Structure formats: structure tokens, C-alpha cells
Amino acid sequence: MKEDKANSEKRRPARFKILAVVAGLLPLLILELALRVLGVGVAEHDPYAEFAGDVPVFERIGNEYHTAKQRQPFLAHQKFPVKKFPHTVRIFCFGGSTVHGRPYQADTAFPKWLEIELSARTVQKRFEVINCGGISYASYRIAPMIREVMKYQPDLVILATGHNEFLEDRTYRQIKQRGWIRRRLDSIRIVSVGRTLIKGNKATSKNVSPEFKTRLDAGNGYASYKRDPEWQEQVAQQFRSTLNDIADTCENSQVPLMLVRLGSNLRDCPPFKSSFRKDLPPDQEREWMNHFELGTQLQETNYSAALDAYREASKIDDSHALLNYRIARLEDRSGTGDPELYFRRALEEDVCPLRILPAQLMAIESLAKERDLQLVDGERAIMDASEDGLPGYDWYVDHVHPTIGGHQIIARAIADLIQKHDVPAMLQVRGLLPGNPRYTGHVNSLGPRYFADGRRRVRWLEQWARRERLADEIAPKSAADFVRKCIRALDLDDEEEARLAFTQAMKLDPKSSAVRFKEHATELSRQGRDKASSRLRVWIVGDDHPLFKRPLPKKDRKPALLLAKPKESPLPPTK
């Protein structure tokens, strides 16, 4: 008994010490719990993101919310009322520069056309479609933005992302090298709040600033891209994780989430960078180069022989992106094989992936299936409108950004799905044909500088992406190539380049080209581009084009005024 009493007295100080420690930690535990309940000091879901979203997307100015100045020009300026009026459907659209509307502005991006489309289809609802597309924004930059807009009473969130996942170096070494203890400390809310208070708002804002540089902005940015399957898989995993975070945010707030599957320019966009597989022996590399150089020599004069040479190179190493692209172009021009297969291989093997890859597309489709989300296949919608289902410059002005008509196609596909599934509920739906008068009125309101600025941005984008290195790969050779080049120039309102491409197409194949141009003139009318449509029709039937000169008897001749090209005010010079 005496021994037990003695042992008990020895253990008593230890108990007091433990209780004292617990008592000391209890306020911290209560504070941590309170911070978690209140959502203060939220740790970033993505441990490599370093982008907690402290810079707001919108700021209140009077009775309206406006896009925060710190977010511009990465985000387009948008505004909406603080008070949500009755019968208003508020939709937020998120994504990268495609959602933003590049190379133009938000005025011709699919969110704007969606607002026009929905407003024309209904009579008792008012639609506010807010464009939150960020230039070069990857998905992890979008996740905190979506968390913010949950307090603005959204009725629907639309997400169209995936093109920008490889623009930044997302494997920050100093973060990956942190130890287990440091990573656990970073997940504690008290630590997060304390770090913010110590560093101050200025330091925090610097860490999460929406102003950032992509890898291509650096002098050695292009050279920094190398074949790295492990890095691509890490980015793909991060993309899937971010999508799930976004889905959780919307689900927790009971806001419907709609996903958009984006496409890209397959026909007229060679891969940005190519390389051999890492384990290719030097002797096989030399043999590969011999076949490739032979194909290069033959491809201008003998499609079949050039294809044979390229296929021999492919037997040695089929992971070279440019090789796959050249095979696709030759099969496309000769009407043989399966060019789409090789166009997609060229995209997938691109060492500098500036277009959405199959892994990202699969992640989007899987999320839609697992969470039972509505999915709009924007890629398929544009492919269905393309020649032979292979979009090029006829529907994309560069490697990823759709033409104005392409944006309208995506908007109509979204509107159709909203209408079909009643998300959100719409009253007294009425039918609407593409090219309604609202399209024309909106295009006419854009002003004379709008398209000139778009052309300037396309030139800048091509320089940024080092496209001059591969200019020869997309130099038009066939009539179909020149038709697509003309369509692209018409979209950018570049009359001089469009006319030159039109003339070349008509020289090479006047019959087929005329059919394509007539179809596109009708398409331009549907898009509300009446000026461009009229210009193209005049070129086709006007007596000023030698290929269409058909002398008529004097009694059948119409007044020259009806055939003459209408006078147009010249475009102001681009600064």
C-alpha cells in the first residue's frame, strides 16, 4: 500500500504538467476550431499554387460590383448590381483567355453571346452573364475566384479551362523540399493568419498577385520546355485535384456547375516544340533524320513518296510531334489515310503544350460523369461545323482562340443545354434562329478599332509563341488552305490579306472555292457580320474579278451600280 501511495505521489507532478500543457493549448485549439468554422485563414488546396486568392476579383463601387483594378488587364472589366433584382439569372463564366475573348475582348467572347442568346430566347427572365476569363490563367488560379463569387448570388457557374496548365513552372522547388513538419504547420489556420499579420497585407498581396509571367515570357522560356512525362503527370494530377475543389465549392454552396470541353486548331497549328524520345540511340537518330530530310525534299512535289519517307522515320521514333504533323498535313492534302489521328498525335506529343491535352480533356469528362454535371462539348460543336470535321483557321484565329463565329457556336451549345435541362429554370422559352438581329446590332456597336486591335494582338501572340520558326509548316499550298486563310482574315477584318487569299484560292480551284466562299458568306450573315458577308459576296459575283467575268447581252446587263464594289471607309492605322 505504501509503495502504491508513493508511486501515485510520484505520478501526480507528471499529471499536473500534462494538464498544464493541455490548459495552455486549449485556447489555441479553440481558436483553430473557430477559424476553421468561420473559414478564416483558408489554406490553399493546391500545395504548389501559392495563390490563395487574397486579391479580390470584384470590388464594390456604389451600388455595383466592378472587376478589381488589380485584376486588370488579365480580367476584362465587368460590372453587375450589388442587389440582385427579381427574375434575374446571374451566371459567372470562368476560364483562360478563350473565355476572356482573345484576341478580341469580352464583347465577342462566348459569355457575351450567351447573354444575347438567352435574352432572345426568353421573355420573363433577365440574364447577367459575367465574364471572369483570365488571360493565361490556369485552373488553380480560378479555384479561389470561384470561392469568392459564391457570395454574389450566382445561379450558375460555367467553367471552360485546360489550355493554360503548362504555361507556368508549377513544381516550385522550395515548396517540394519542405519537410513533413513544415507542411503540417502550413496547414494550420493560426499559422496562416499569423504569417499574414506578420508579413502584412502588402507582402501577402505580392505573393498572390494576379500579375505573373509565363515560362515563355522569359528569355530562355522556350528552351526550358523539354520532354518531361513526370512533370506533365504532376500537372495533370493537380488539374484533376483543382477541378474537384471547384466542384466541391459549387456543391457546398448549392450552385450548379457546368463544364465546357474546349477544342483547338488542329489543321493549321504545328506543334510548338518537338523532340526525340529520350532513349533513342544516336545511330537510330541519324537514320531517322535521313528519312525526315528526304520527306522534306519530296513533300512539295511528291506527296506519296514524302509520306513513305516520313512513315519510315515514324517506325524508328513516332513521338516526334512535327513528324506527326507533317504526315497529317500530307494525308489531309492528298485525301488519304487518317489525318485527324496524326493531327492529334502532334498535339499530344508537343513538348511545349500550349493547347489542352487529352489528359485534361479526360479529367473534365470524368468529373462530369462522377459528379453528374452538365457538359458542353465545345470542341465537337466546332468540329461539326468544320470542313471534314477538322477545324483550322476557318474556326480558330490562332492555336486555341475561336473566331467570333466559333464563340457563337459555343454560346448556342451552352444555351441549348440550359434550355434542355432547365438550368436555371426559364419561363416561356421561344425558338431562335442563329444570326438574330441582336447579333448584327451588337457587332455594329463594336466600333472601328475593335478588329484592328484584334489583329494587333494576334501578331503579338504569334511572336510570343515563336510562331515564325514554323511559318513554313503552315504556308498555304492548296485551294482549301487559301480558303481557310481568307476566312481567318475576314474574321480579323483584314481586307487586304483576305482578298489576296481569296484570289489564290479561286486560281487553284475556282469551283470548289466558290462553293466554300458562298457558304461562308451565309455564315457571316448568321454571325451578324453583314459588312464582311457583303464584301465576300461582291468578290464572288462582282464583275471586277476576272474569274467571274461573263459578258452579257446589252439587254440583260444590270446597272453597273449593282455590281460595283461598295465604297467603304478605310480602317484607321494600327498604332
Side-chain angles (χ1 to χ4, degrees):
M1 294 294 292
K2 291 182 178 180
E3 292 179 0
D4 292 340
K5 186 177 181 179
N7 292 334
S8 177
E9 289 177 354
K10 290 180 180 179
R11 286 194 296 268
R12 190 173 299 167
R15 290 173 183 169
F16 283 135
K17 290 180 181 178
I18 294 173
L19 289 173
V21 171
V22 171
L25 292 176
L26 187 59
L28 295 176
L29 293 174
I30 294 173
L31 178 59
E32 177 71 15
L33 181 61
L35 292 175
R36 290 180 181 272
V37 171
L38 296 174
V40 178
V42 179
E44 178 60 49
H45 291 285
D46 182 349
Y48 302 123
E50 291 284 329
F51 192 75
D54 293 23
V55 177
V57 182
F58 297 101
E59 56 187 3
R60 182 169 179 170
I61 302 177
N63 294 323
E64 292 181 324
Y65 285 114
H66 290 250
T67 305
K69 291 182 179 179
Q70 301 99 310
R71 292 276 183 173
Q72 300 179 46
F74 289 92
L75 268 64
H77 178 261
Q78 301 281 278
K79 62 181 181 179
F80 55 93
V82 172
K83 180 182 178 181
K84 186 178 175 182
F85 296 102
H87 308 297
T88 296
V89 178
R90 185 170 286 176
I91 301 173
F92 288 88
C93 297
F94 291 90
S97 55
T98 295
V99 176
H100 185 282
R102 288 292 182 169
Y104 306 112
Q105 296 286 3
D107 291 322
T108 49
F110 76 77
K112 184 61 180 181
W113 298 116
L114 177 63
E115 183 177 85
I116 293 173
E117 191 76 20
L118 291 174
S119 298
R121 293 191 187 199
T122 61
V123 294
Q124 293 186 355
K125 291 284 186 181
R126 179 177 181 273
F127 290 91
E128 296 174 352
V129 183
I130 297 104
N131 188 326
C132 299
I135 297 173
S136 298
Y137 271 30
S139 59
Y140 80 95
R141 290 184 176 270
I142 296 169
M145 297 167 62
I146 293 180
R147 289 198 289 272
E148 177 188 330
V149 302
M150 291 298 111
K151 64 184 179 183
Y152 303 134
Q153 299 177 277
D155 294 292
L156 176 65
V157 168
I158 297 175
L159 178 64
T161 187
H163 283 312
N164 298 328
E165 299 308 302
F166 300 95
L167 276 181
E168 298 178 75
D169 185 359
R170 308 265 294 283
T171 55
Y172 299 106
R173 187 171 302 171
Q174 70 271 24
I175 297 176
K176 291 195 293 182
Q177 291 177 347
R178 290 174 181 172
W180 180 88
I181 295 177
R182 174 68 184 278
R183 293 197 302 271
R184 290 297 173 267
L185 286 173
D186 287 342
S187 67
I188 298 174
R189 302 298 176 90
I190 297 174
V191 173
S192 177
V193 173
R195 183 185 293 119
T196 300
L197 293 175
I198 293 172
K199 290 184 176 180
N201 292 331
K202 183 176 181 180
T204 302
S205 298
K206 184 178 180 180
N207 285 341
V208 300
S209 171
E211 298 184 12
F212 62 97
K213 290 186 176 181
T214 69
R215 291 176 68 175
L216 286 178
D217 291 325
N220 64 340
Y222 183 80
S224 71
Y225 281 94
K226 303 181 185 299
R227 186 178 293 279
D228 192 345
E230 182 181 355
W231 174 65
Q232 289 198 4
E233 178 55 30
Q234 289 173 351
V235 173
Q237 289 178 5
Q238 191 179 43
F239 182 70
R240 290 190 290 268
S241 175
T242 302
L243 290 183
N244 276 289
D245 286 345
I246 292 172
D248 288 340
T249 298
C250 293
E251 184 177 333
N252 293 337
S253 300
Q254 297 183 332
V255 175
L257 173 64
M258 181 179 288
L259 304 176
V260 178
R261 189 178 187 272
L262 294 174
S264 60
N265 185 340
L266 292 176
R267 246 189 177 123
D268 297 313
C269 178
F272 289 84
K273 190 173 183 179
S274 306
S275 70
F276 300 111
R277 68 172 193 263
K278 289 186 176 181
D279 61 346
L280 187 65
D283 58 331
Q284 291 188 19
E285 182 178 331
R286 286 192 296 270
E287 185 180 358
W288 186 98
M289 285 299 302
N290 290 335
H291 292 301
F292 187 80
E293 290 173 0
L294 178 60
T296 302
Q297 296 170 8
L298 295 172
Q299 65 180 4
E300 299 297 327
T301 57
N302 191 328
Y303 288 171
S304 178
L307 277 170
D308 289 341
Y310 287 143
R311 289 189 179 115
E312 288 299 316
S314 183
K315 292 177 182 178
I316 300 171
D317 182 6
D318 63 354
S319 67
H320 196 276
L322 183 57
L323 172 64
N324 284 288
Y325 183 77
R326 286 194 176 181
I327 293 174
R329 289 283 279 190
L330 289 176
E331 287 190 347
D332 189 27
R333 286 171 175 159
S334 62
T336 61
D338 185 1
E340 182 180 352
L341 173 65
Y342 287 98
F343 278 130
R344 292 197 179 278
R345 281 185 184 174
L347 187 157
E348 188 173 1
E349 297 290 348
D350 197 340
V351 177
C352 179
L354 302 184
R355 295 174 287 176
I356 191 168
L357 296 181
Q360 280 70 51
L361 292 173
M362 290 177 61
I364 293 169
E365 293 170 1
S366 297
L367 181 69
K369 186 175 181 180
E370 293 166 4
R371 301 291 190 106
D372 194 24
L373 303 175
Q374 300 301 328
L375 175 64
V376 175
D377 196 339
E379 180 187 43
R380 174 51 56 187
I382 291 180
M383 288 180 70
D384 288 344
S386 305
E387 181 189 13
D388 303 326
L390 285 173
Y393 277 149
D394 46 351
W395 291 104
Y396 292 93
V397 293
D398 50 39
H399 59 296
V400 290
H401 300 119
T403 61
I404 290 175
H407 276 286
Q408 292 175 349
I409 286 176
I410 295 173
R412 287 197 293 271
I414 295 172
D416 290 344
L417 195 59
I418 290 175
Q419 180 175 328
K420 179 180 178 181
H421 293 278
D422 205 28
V423 183
M426 300 197 304
L427 302 176
Q428 299 187 21
V429 176
R430 59 188 180 187
L432 177 69
L433 293 175
N436 64 86
R438 298 190 186 201
Y439 281 20
T440 303
H442 181 64
V443 170
N444 291 339
S445 71
L446 296 175
R449 293 289 305 170
Y450 190 80
F451 295 99
D453 288 341
R455 293 197 301 273
R456 175 177 55 81
R457 294 189 193 97
V458 165
R459 288 195 293 269
W460 177 89
L461 181 63
E462 290 178 340
Q463 291 174 359
W464 172 80
R466 319 300 201 266
R467 300 313 286 163
E468 71 280 356
R469 298 175 60 260
L470 295 167
D472 291 342
E473 300 295 336
I474 55 173
K477 300 289 193 303
S478 65
D481 294 342
F482 281 105
V483 167
R484 294 195 302 276
K485 184 177 181 180
C486 176
I487 290 173
R488 177 190 189 236
L490 286 169
D491 194 88
L492 294 166
D493 204 28
D494 188 342
E495 181 177 0
E496 182 179 355
E497 182 172 330
R499 186 59 185 267
L500 290 173
F502 172 88
T503 303
Q504 287 298 113
M506 297 300 295
K507 285 181 178 179
L508 292 172
D509 189 346
K511 185 175 181 180
S512 297
S513 298
V515 171
R516 286 289 310 281
F517 285 132
K518 287 177 182 178
E519 291 174 348
H520 190 64
T522 303
E523 171 62 30
L524 286 170
S525 294
R526 285 198 293 263
Q527 295 174 14
R529 305 286 302 276
D530 290 343
K531 180 180 176 181
S533 177
S534 298
R535 180 184 296 151
L536 185 55
R537 292 178 191 277
V538 167
W539 292 350
I540 295 172
V541 301
D543 62 351
D544 59 334
H545 197 288
L547 292 169
F548 285 88
K549 279 188 176 180
R550 292 186 178 89
L552 298 174
K554 288 185 178 181
K555 62 178 182 178
D556 294 328
R557 291 181 185 175
K558 294 182 180 181
L561 181 63
L562 297 179
L563 295 175
K565 181 179 178 181
K567 293 182 179 180
E568 300 170 355
S569 58
L571 291 172
T574 302
K575 291 184 180 180

